[in-house]
Amino acid sequence: MKRLISCTALSLAAAALAVGGLATSAQAAPAVANGGDPALTDVYIWATDVNLRQQPTTDSPRLAQRSQWWADAICQTQGQTVHDPAVGTNNWWTAVMEFTGSDVAWVNNLYIRGGQKIAGVPDC
């Protein structure tokens, strides 16, 4: 059931991407996790000024930037490999959205707490 809800959320969010970028009306992130959709995994973007992209590649348009921010993770997939000399290299990206609801954006897993592939987040 959780997988069905996640797939449905991804489909709806992908459709929303065709309409516009990441919503900017809800800038504040909650102080603790579990503030979003209980069917989705909460993830923490630990770094500052992290680009949220339209697709899992750095060539994709930037929809927003977030710093030290909690989000709902919809799913993760392999995309463009990102190398950050201070952090490492990773080609896994996670589709996220704000707890208050927003369009979907992609974040490289280098900047999400949890390692190369995030436990609890299904593959897309």
Side-chain angles (χ1 to χ4, degrees):
M1 182 66 170
K2 182 175 178 179
R3 177 84 173 149
L4 176 62
I5 292 169
S6 295
C7 289
T8 302
L10 179 60
S11 297
L12 292 172
L17 276 175
V19 176
L22 187 69
T24 57
S25 60
Q27 295 294 323
V32 295
N34 301 320
D37 185 333
L40 301 174
T41 301
D42 295 341
V43 294
Y44 182 67
I45 298 174
W46 60 267
T48 57
D49 300 324
V50 175
N51 292 320
L52 281 66
R53 302 274 181 185
Q54 191 172 31
Q55 297 295 322
T57 173
T58 59
D59 296 330
S60 179
R62 181 178 71 193
L63 301 176
Q65 274 189 334
R66 295 289 185 263
S67 298
Q68 301 170 342
W69 177 68
W70 284 98
D72 276 331
I74 298 167
C75 64
Q76 59 189 330
T77 191
Q78 292 181 326
Q80 178 186 12
T81 298
V82 173
H83 177 71
D84 183 331
V87 182
T89 301
N90 197 346
N91 71 333
W92 281 93
W93 292 70
T94 297
V96 299
M97 64 184 190
E98 296 178 343
F99 287 158
T100 58
S102 70
D103 294 340
V104 170
W106 292 90
V107 177
N108 188 277
N109 287 5
L110 278 175
Y111 307 107
I112 299 175
R113 185 180 295 155
Q116 183 171 359
K117 195 169 179 209
I118 310 302
V121 178
D123 291 352
C124 295

